[in-house]
Amino acid sequence: MADGSCTARAGTNIALVKYWGKRDAALNLPAAGSLSLTLEDFGSETTVRFVRQTGGGDKRDRVIVGGKPAEPGFAGRVQRFVDLVRTRAGIDLPAEVVTTNSVPTASGLASSASGFAALALAASRAAGLHLSFPELSELARRGSGSAARSIFGGFVEMSAGTRIDGSDAVAHTVADEKSWDVRLCVAITAAGQKAVSSTAAMDLTAQTSPYYPAWLASVPADIAEAHAAILAHDLVRLGVVAERSAMRMHACAMAAEPHILYWNPATLAAISTVIELRADGTGAYFTIDAGPHVKVLCSASDAPRVAAALAGTPGVVRVLTLAPGPGAHIIGEP
Ligand code: PMV
């Protein structure tokens, strides 16, 4: 009987082979695959409680983020997501959703990835559903494309799938979080202009960038290469493909009309630092998402040196060093 509650936790993830473009906007289906690393420490913890009605109480969902009522746009997005769960479970109860994000604000680490992964697990369990991991990944994808990957820990591959209902557009583990002791050093660069949302930017890129077809065509080979590098624990090979994927994604977006430029001067300075580290013999490789921050892949033993070099880069305001982490998991059920 759905009158339950559940608390789940999920970590954020960073793509090493980027997702940039949808084949179906309504179902949030990616036009190509992607490959990411789920991170520990930073993520979302979400409690969902379906509230049994006694009399004519408030039928609306309540969404609390970081101790405060969510702003209407985000609350609506959460409500539409919970509607998917209610429909699937055959229930009509309002939900109370309480979430906290440990992802630092404006860090360029996506809280939507961990947020919708934690919400998919907590809401489905609270509704009495026991979904498989692929089913959870498919559900999380409806909230945010990258959230489908945060259901799993460590290195994760997301399939584009070919079915129109999206049932095969799900993620799976390539290698778990204990398999390879790498780090991602996140260089937070001074906040620039407000970033264009990834959904709007992907749409504009697909509509106007002459390089979009070439970008999509390049992704499968990058995924195959990254996959092989991960299984071989070959940091150079993985780093080369991660940089190439990020540069191609940004080049494609920069060629949209109007152009989409996420970088600021500190982004370029951090890229230069990574190139200098490599020239000095340190294995460090950058990737950049829909914002100005630079995330640097390296071994655990090199991470202190990489973090120090990034911290000394003009315009870098803070550096976080993050290890691989587990997938979404339940931390409390009544
Ligand atoms: O999950 P979304 O819709 O926020 O898109 C994520 C886009 C990138 O972070 C730039 C790339 C990725 O694969 O995570």
Side-chain angles (χ1 to χ4, degrees):
M1 169 60 76
D3 190 8
S5 76
C6 178
T7 301
R9 187 179 287 163
T12 190
N13 72 76
I14 297 296
L16 300 173
V17 177
K18 301 299 186 194
Y19 151 53
W20 197 253
K22 301 178 198 276
R23 68 179 166 92
D24 181 311
L27 290 176
N28 222 8
L29 297 177
S34 58
L35 192 147
S36 60
L37 179 60
T38 301
L39 301 168
E40 70 169 5
D41 293 335
F42 293 128
S44 305
E45 195 175 302
T46 302
T47 300
V48 177
R49 192 165 74 92
F50 286 100
V51 188
R52 185 170 295 285
Q53 294 289 289
T54 48
D58 192 348
K59 286 230 181 261
R60 285 171 305 175
D61 294 339
R62 260 166 38 93
V63 182
I64 309 290
V65 180
K68 297 189 194 111
E71 49 91 13
F74 185 71
R77 198 170 158 196
V78 169
Q79 167 142 14
R80 287 191 294 280
F81 187 88
V82 176
D83 283 343
L84 298 172
V85 175
R86 275 188 281 256
T87 302
R88 191 156 179 164
I91 62 170
D92 189 26
L93 299 174
E96 193 178 81
V97 177
V98 179
T99 188
T100 52
N101 291 314
S102 59
V103 180
T105 320
S107 67
L109 293 167
S111 59
S112 64
S114 55
F116 282 103
L119 181 61
L121 181 54
S124 59
R125 282 295 188 105
L129 296 169
H130 287 259
L131 302 182
S132 66
F133 280 96
E135 285 171 330
L136 283 169
S137 180
E138 187 186 349
L139 176 62
R141 190 203 70 229
R142 298 290 297 273
S144 161
S146 52
R149 301 185 306 234
S150 272
I151 294 295
F152 301 93
F155 293 94
V156 177
E157 183 181 334
M158 174 75 192
S159 305
T162 53
R163 295 189 201 138
I164 51 168
D165 68 355
S167 55
D168 56 351
V170 297
H172 65 270
T173 303
V174 174
D176 73 24
E177 67 275 16
K178 296 193 177 67
S179 63
W180 192 10
D181 205 16
V182 297
R183 293 290 181 273
L184 266 179
C185 296
V186 181
I188 299 174
T189 61
Q193 68 278 34
K194 195 178 180 304
V196 187
S197 83
S198 51
T199 295
M202 283 181 202
D203 190 42
L204 186 65
T205 305
Q207 299 304 322
T208 65
S209 176
Y211 305 146
Y212 185 65
W215 153 253
L216 289 183
S218 76
V219 176
D222 283 356
I223 290 187
E225 181 70 4
H227 205 287
I230 290 162
L231 296 184
H233 290 193
D234 187 335
L235 189 72
V236 178
R237 200 170 165 192
L238 182 60
V240 167
V241 72
E243 282 193 0
R244 164 171 106 196
S245 177
M247 286 306 224
R248 288 175 180 176
M249 176 202 120
H250 284 273
C252 185
M254 284 179 205
E257 201 174 343
H259 68 259
I260 300 157
L261 179 59
Y262 285 113
W263 302 0
N264 65 22
T267 312
L268 283 167
I271 291 173
S272 296
T273 296
V274 171
I275 293 167
E276 282 161 24
L277 280 164
R278 277 216 295 278
D280 287 347
T282 302
Y285 302 87
F286 65 82
T287 184
I288 305 165
D289 292 294
H293 314 295
V294 178
K295 294 121 187 187
V296 183
L297 179 71
C298 61
S299 68
S301 56
D302 283 340
R305 186 175 330 137
V306 171
L310 290 169
T313 300
V316 170
V317 292
R318 189 174 167 199
V319 178
L320 309 165
T321 299
L322 303 174
H329 52 281
I330 288 170
I331 56 170
E333 266 177 318

